[in-house]
PDB file of all heavy atoms in Angstrom:
ATOM      1  N   VAL A 378      -6.981  13.524  30.110  1.00 97.00           N
ATOM      2  CA  VAL A 378      -8.136  14.413  29.917  1.00 97.00           C
ATOM      3  C   VAL A 378      -9.414  13.721  30.398  1.00 97.00           C
ATOM      4  O   VAL A 378     -10.269  13.395  29.622  1.00 97.00           O
ATOM      5  CB  VAL A 378      -8.290  14.924  28.454  1.00 97.00           C
ATOM      6  CG1 VAL A 378      -7.366  16.052  28.180  1.00 97.00           C
ATOM      7  CG2 VAL A 378      -8.107  13.819  27.439  1.00 97.00           C
ATOM      8  N   PRO A 379      -9.467  13.457  31.731  1.00 96.00           N
ATOM      9  CA  PRO A 379     -10.710  12.842  32.265  1.00 96.00           C
ATOM     10  C   PRO A 379     -11.815  13.861  32.344  1.00 96.00           C
ATOM     11  O   PRO A 379     -11.645  15.028  31.931  1.00 96.00           O
ATOM     12  CB  PRO A 379     -10.265  12.355  33.614  1.00 96.00           C
ATOM     13  CG  PRO A 379      -9.192  13.321  34.036  1.00 96.00           C
ATOM     14  CD  PRO A 379      -8.514  13.763  32.778  1.00 96.00           C
ATOM     15  N   SER A 380     -12.932  13.504  32.935  1.00 95.00           N
ATOM     16  CA  SER A 380     -14.020  14.446  33.161  1.00 95.00           C
ATOM     17  C   SER A 380     -13.510  15.699  33.802  1.00 95.00           C
ATOM     18  O   SER A 380     -12.628  15.627  34.706  1.00 95.00           O
ATOM     19  CB  SER A 380     -15.084  13.796  34.039  1.00 95.00           C
ATOM     20  OG  SER A 380     -16.205  14.646  34.135  1.00 95.00           O
ATOM     21  N   PRO A 381     -13.805  16.900  33.390  1.00 97.00           N
ATOM     22  CA  PRO A 381     -14.902  17.312  32.482  1.00 97.00           C
ATOM     23  C   PRO A 381     -14.456  17.559  31.057  1.00 97.00           C
ATOM     24  O   PRO A 381     -14.831  18.583  30.450  1.00 97.00           O
ATOM     25  CB  PRO A 381     -15.368  18.602  33.132  1.00 97.00           C
ATOM     26  CG  PRO A 381     -14.076  19.244  33.582  1.00 97.00           C
ATOM     27  CD  PRO A 381     -13.199  18.092  34.012  1.00 97.00           C
ATOM     28  N   ALA A 382     -13.648  16.645  30.485  1.00 98.00           N
ATOM     29  CA  ALA A 382     -13.060  16.957  29.171  1.00 98.00           C
ATOM     30  C   ALA A 382     -14.101  16.990  28.051  1.00 98.00           C
ATOM     31  O   ALA A 382     -13.883  17.643  27.040  1.00 98.00           O
ATOM     32  CB  ALA A 382     -11.954  15.976  28.853  1.00 98.00           C
ATOM     33  N   ALA A 383     -15.209  16.263  28.220  1.00 98.00           N
ATOM     34  CA  ALA A 383     -16.239  16.350  27.161  1.00 98.00           C
ATOM     35  C   ALA A 383     -16.840  17.777  27.179  1.00 98.00           C
ATOM     36  O   ALA A 383     -16.936  18.393  26.143  1.00 98.00           O
ATOM     37  CB  ALA A 383     -17.267  15.268  27.353  1.00 98.00           C
ATOM     38  N   THR A 384     -17.181  18.212  28.388  1.00 98.00           N
ATOM     39  CA  THR A 384     -17.699  19.577  28.521  1.00 98.00           C
ATOM     40  C   THR A 384     -16.740  20.616  27.930  1.00 98.00           C
ATOM     41  O   THR A 384     -17.117  21.528  27.214  1.00 98.00           O
ATOM     42  CB  THR A 384     -17.866  19.905  30.038  1.00 98.00           C
ATOM     43  OG1 THR A 384     -18.711  18.934  30.630  1.00 98.00           O
ATOM     44  CG2 THR A 384     -18.404  21.316  30.255  1.00 98.00           C
ATOM     45  N   ALA A 385     -15.451  20.390  28.270  1.00 98.00           N
ATOM     46  CA  ALA A 385     -14.428  21.396  27.970  1.00 98.00           C
ATOM     47  C   ALA A 385     -13.794  21.215  26.609  1.00 98.00           C
ATOM     48  O   ALA A 385     -12.848  21.924  26.254  1.00 98.00           O
ATOM     49  CB  ALA A 385     -13.326  21.317  29.050  1.00 98.00           C
ATOM     50  N   SER A 386     -14.327  20.256  25.800  1.00 98.00           N
ATOM     51  CA  SER A 386     -13.598  19.820  24.600  1.00 98.00           C
ATOM     52  C   SER A 386     -13.272  20.970  23.656  1.00 98.00           C
ATOM     53  O   SER A 386     -12.130  21.023  23.115  1.00 98.00           O
ATOM     54  CB  SER A 386     -14.388  18.768  23.847  1.00 98.00           C
ATOM     55  OG  SER A 386     -15.719  19.158  23.621  1.00 98.00           O
ATOM     56  N   LEU A 387     -14.168  21.926  23.470  1.00 98.00           N
ATOM     57  CA  LEU A 387     -13.891  22.985  22.491  1.00 98.00           C
ATOM     58  C   LEU A 387     -12.718  23.868  23.001  1.00 98.00           C
ATOM     59  O   LEU A 387     -11.862  24.274  22.208  1.00 98.00           O
ATOM     60  CB  LEU A 387     -15.138  23.870  22.270  1.00 98.00           C
ATOM     61  CG  LEU A 387     -16.247  23.187  21.474  1.00 98.00           C
ATOM     62  CD1 LEU A 387     -17.548  23.946  21.579  1.00 98.00           C
ATOM     63  CD2 LEU A 387     -15.847  23.021  19.990  1.00 98.00           C
ATOM     64  N   GLU A 388     -12.655  24.066  24.307  1.00 98.00           N
ATOM     65  CA  GLU A 388     -11.542  24.843  24.873  1.00 98.00           C
ATOM     66  C   GLU A 388     -10.265  24.033  24.866  1.00 98.00           C
ATOM     67  O   GLU A 388      -9.178  24.582  24.615  1.00 98.00           O
ATOM     68  CB  GLU A 388     -11.874  25.281  26.328  1.00 98.00           C
ATOM     69  CG  GLU A 388     -12.950  26.317  26.398  1.00 98.00           C
ATOM     70  CD  GLU A 388     -12.569  27.663  25.689  1.00 98.00           C
ATOM     71  OE1 GLU A 388     -11.494  28.180  26.015  1.00 98.00           O
ATOM     72  OE2 GLU A 388     -13.343  28.069  24.818  1.00 98.00           O
ATOM     73  N   ILE A 389     -10.337  22.735  25.102  1.00 98.00           N
ATOM     74  CA  ILE A 389      -9.115  21.889  25.044  1.00 98.00           C
ATOM     75  C   ILE A 389      -8.558  21.915  23.605  1.00 98.00           C
ATOM     76  O   ILE A 389      -7.370  22.011  23.434  1.00 98.00           O
ATOM     77  CB  ILE A 389      -9.421  20.445  25.489  1.00 98.00           C
ATOM     78  CG1 ILE A 389      -9.847  20.441  26.987  1.00 98.00           C
ATOM     79  CG2 ILE A 389      -8.195  19.550  25.319  1.00 98.00           C
ATOM     80  CD1 ILE A 389     -10.332  19.039  27.480  1.00 98.00           C
ATOM     81  N   GLY A 390      -9.468  21.864  22.672  1.00 98.00           N
ATOM     82  CA  GLY A 390      -9.036  21.974  21.240  1.00 98.00           C
ATOM     83  C   GLY A 390      -8.230  23.242  21.020  1.00 98.00           C
ATOM     84  O   GLY A 390      -7.210  23.226  20.349  1.00 98.00           O
ATOM     85  N   LYS A 391      -8.727  24.352  21.587  1.00 97.00           N
ATOM     86  CA  LYS A 391      -7.997  25.616  21.432  1.00 97.00           C
ATOM     87  C   LYS A 391      -6.649  25.566  22.143  1.00 97.00           C
ATOM     88  O   LYS A 391      -5.625  26.050  21.625  1.00 97.00           O
ATOM     89  CB  LYS A 391      -8.812  26.765  22.021  1.00 97.00           C
ATOM     90  CG  LYS A 391     -10.007  27.133  21.193  1.00 97.00           C
ATOM     91  CD  LYS A 391     -10.712  28.316  21.811  1.00 97.00           C
ATOM     92  CE  LYS A 391     -11.982  28.614  21.034  1.00 97.00           C
ATOM     93  NZ  LYS A 391     -12.862  29.577  21.734  1.00 97.00           N
ATOM     94  N   GLU A 392      -6.613  24.983  23.345  1.00 97.00           N
ATOM     95  CA  GLU A 392      -5.344  24.869  24.076  1.00 97.00           C
ATOM     96  C   GLU A 392      -4.316  24.104  23.254  1.00 97.00           C
ATOM     97  O   GLU A 392      -3.148  24.504  23.169  1.00 97.00           O
ATOM     98  CB  GLU A 392      -5.511  24.060  25.376  1.00 97.00           C
ATOM     99  CG  GLU A 392      -6.407  24.686  26.435  1.00 97.00           C
ATOM    100  CD  GLU A 392      -5.677  25.728  27.288  1.00 97.00           C
ATOM    101  OE1 GLU A 392      -4.539  26.011  26.995  1.00 97.00           O
ATOM    102  OE2 GLU A 392      -6.289  26.194  28.265  1.00 97.00           O
ATOM    103  N   ILE A 393      -4.786  22.995  22.623  1.00 97.00           N
ATOM    104  CA  ILE A 393      -3.825  22.153  21.883  1.00 97.00           C
ATOM    105  C   ILE A 393      -3.342  22.889  20.650  1.00 97.00           C
ATOM    106  O   ILE A 393      -2.150  22.846  20.306  1.00 97.00           O
ATOM    107  CB  ILE A 393      -4.496  20.784  21.535  1.00 97.00           C
ATOM    108  CG1 ILE A 393      -4.741  20.002  22.814  1.00 97.00           C
ATOM    109  CG2 ILE A 393      -3.616  19.984  20.573  1.00 97.00           C
ATOM    110  CD1 ILE A 393      -5.587  18.755  22.656  1.00 97.00           C
ATOM    111  N   VAL A 394      -4.246  23.615  19.968  1.00 97.00           N
ATOM    112  CA  VAL A 394      -3.784  24.367  18.771  1.00 97.00           C
ATOM    113  C   VAL A 394      -2.851  25.507  19.192  1.00 97.00           C
ATOM    114  O   VAL A 394      -1.890  25.813  18.508  1.00 97.00           O
ATOM    115  CB  VAL A 394      -5.001  24.828  17.933  1.00 97.00           C
ATOM    116  CG1 VAL A 394      -4.529  25.661  16.742  1.00 97.00           C
ATOM    117  CG2 VAL A 394      -5.768  23.608  17.411  1.00 97.00           C
ATOM    118  N   ASP A 395      -3.087  26.105  20.375  1.00 96.00           N
ATOM    119  CA  ASP A 395      -2.131  27.101  20.884  1.00 96.00           C
ATOM    120  C   ASP A 395      -0.759  26.459  21.083  1.00 96.00           C
ATOM    121  O   ASP A 395       0.267  27.016  20.724  1.00 96.00           O
ATOM    122  CB  ASP A 395      -2.600  27.630  22.245  1.00 96.00           C
ATOM    123  CG  ASP A 395      -3.648  28.708  22.137  1.00 96.00           C
ATOM    124  OD1 ASP A 395      -3.826  29.249  21.004  1.00 96.00           O
ATOM    125  OD2 ASP A 395      -4.284  29.006  23.132  1.00 96.00           O
TER     126      ASP A 395
END
Side-chain angles (χ1 to χ4, degrees):
V378 280
S380 185
T384 303
S386 52
L387 289 165
E388 289 299 305
I389 296 173
K391 287 184 185 168
E392 295 277 7
I393 293 170
V394 177
D395 279 345

